[in-house]
mmCIF file of all heavy atoms in Angstrom:
data_model
loop_
_atom_site.group_PDB
_atom_site.id
_atom_site.type_symbol
_atom_site.label_atom_id
_atom_site.label_comp_id
_atom_site.label_asym_id
_atom_site.label_seq_id
_atom_site.Cartn_x
_atom_site.Cartn_y
_atom_site.Cartn_z
ATOM 1 N N GLY A 463 117.319 -43.347 -92.002
ATOM 2 C CA GLY A 463 116.588 -43.147 -93.260
ATOM 3 C C GLY A 463 117.068 -41.963 -94.056
ATOM 4 O O GLY A 463 116.249 -41.266 -94.672
ATOM 5 N N ALA A 464 118.385 -41.684 -94.078
ATOM 6 C CA ALA A 464 118.922 -40.551 -94.826
ATOM 7 C C ALA A 464 120.251 -40.942 -95.446
ATOM 8 O O ALA A 464 120.794 -42.029 -95.191
ATOM 9 C CB ALA A 464 119.093 -39.345 -93.920
ATOM 10 N N SER A 465 120.792 -40.062 -96.281
ATOM 11 C CA SER A 465 122.080 -40.293 -96.924
ATOM 12 C C SER A 465 123.143 -39.399 -96.299
ATOM 13 O O SER A 465 122.846 -38.313 -95.771
ATOM 14 C CB SER A 465 121.992 -40.020 -98.428
ATOM 15 O OG SER A 465 121.736 -38.638 -98.667
ATOM 16 N N LEU A 466 124.394 -39.864 -96.393
ATOM 17 C CA LEU A 466 125.507 -39.126 -95.792
ATOM 18 C C LEU A 466 125.697 -37.764 -96.450
ATOM 19 O O LEU A 466 125.987 -36.766 -95.777
ATOM 20 C CB LEU A 466 126.787 -39.959 -95.904
ATOM 21 C CG LEU A 466 128.048 -39.364 -95.270
ATOM 22 C CD1 LEU A 466 127.865 -39.201 -93.765
ATOM 23 C CD2 LEU A 466 129.260 -40.246 -95.565
ATOM 24 N N VAL A 467 125.526 -37.703 -97.788
ATOM 25 C CA VAL A 467 125.724 -36.438 -98.509
ATOM 26 C C VAL A 467 124.708 -35.389 -98.063
ATOM 27 O O VAL A 467 125.052 -34.222 -97.827
ATOM 28 C CB VAL A 467 125.631 -36.678 -100.027
ATOM 29 C CG1 VAL A 467 125.751 -35.338 -100.775
ATOM 30 C CG2 VAL A 467 126.715 -37.636 -100.489
ATOM 31 N N ASP A 468 123.447 -35.786 -97.938
ATOM 32 C CA ASP A 468 122.411 -34.827 -97.520
ATOM 33 C C ASP A 468 122.703 -34.277 -96.127
ATOM 34 O O ASP A 468 122.573 -33.067 -95.879
ATOM 35 C CB ASP A 468 121.035 -35.505 -97.533
ATOM 36 C CG ASP A 468 120.573 -35.860 -98.939
ATOM 37 O OD1 ASP A 468 121.105 -35.251 -99.899
ATOM 38 O OD2 ASP A 468 119.707 -36.737 -99.080
ATOM 39 N N VAL A 469 123.127 -35.164 -95.218
ATOM 40 C CA VAL A 469 123.410 -34.716 -93.855
ATOM 41 C C VAL A 469 124.599 -33.757 -93.848
ATOM 42 O O VAL A 469 124.570 -32.704 -93.184
ATOM 43 C CB VAL A 469 123.674 -35.923 -92.942
ATOM 44 C CG1 VAL A 469 124.161 -35.464 -91.576
ATOM 45 C CG2 VAL A 469 122.414 -36.760 -92.792
ATOM 46 N N ARG A 470 125.658 -34.080 -94.603
ATOM 47 C CA ARG A 470 126.848 -33.221 -94.613
ATOM 48 C C ARG A 470 126.525 -31.846 -95.218
ATOM 49 O O ARG A 470 126.955 -30.807 -94.680
ATOM 50 C CB ARG A 470 127.962 -33.896 -95.413
ATOM 51 C CG ARG A 470 128.472 -35.201 -94.784
ATOM 52 C CD ARG A 470 129.395 -34.922 -93.619
ATOM 53 N NE ARG A 470 129.790 -36.133 -92.921
ATOM 54 C CZ ARG A 470 130.825 -36.909 -93.269
ATOM 55 N NH1 ARG A 470 131.553 -36.605 -94.337
ATOM 56 N NH2 ARG A 470 131.136 -37.979 -92.548
ATOM 57 N N VAL A 471 125.792 -31.825 -96.299
ATOM 58 C CA VAL A 471 125.475 -30.539 -96.955
ATOM 59 C C VAL A 471 124.608 -29.673 -96.048
ATOM 60 O O VAL A 471 124.871 -28.476 -95.859
ATOM 61 C CB VAL A 471 124.787 -30.786 -98.312
ATOM 62 C CG1 VAL A 471 124.263 -29.466 -98.888
ATOM 63 C CG2 VAL A 471 125.744 -31.436 -99.295
ATOM 64 N N VAL A 472 123.569 -30.269 -95.461
ATOM 65 C CA VAL A 472 122.660 -29.500 -94.609
ATOM 66 C C VAL A 472 123.392 -28.978 -93.371
ATOM 67 O O VAL A 472 123.239 -27.805 -92.991
ATOM 68 C CB VAL A 472 121.441 -30.359 -94.209
ATOM 69 C CG1 VAL A 472 120.603 -29.641 -93.154
ATOM 70 C CG2 VAL A 472 120.588 -30.670 -95.425
ATOM 71 N N THR A 473 124.182 -29.820 -92.737
ATOM 72 C CA THR A 473 124.891 -29.377 -91.532
ATOM 73 C C THR A 473 125.919 -28.292 -91.837
ATOM 74 O O THR A 473 126.060 -27.329 -91.058
ATOM 75 C CB THR A 473 125.588 -30.566 -90.855
ATOM 76 O OG1 THR A 473 126.385 -31.270 -91.824
ATOM 77 C CG2 THR A 473 124.567 -31.522 -90.258
#
Side-chain angles (χ1 to χ4, degrees):
S465 66
L466 183 62
V467 176
D468 292 340
V469 172
R470 295 283 174 86
V471 171
V472 171
T473 52

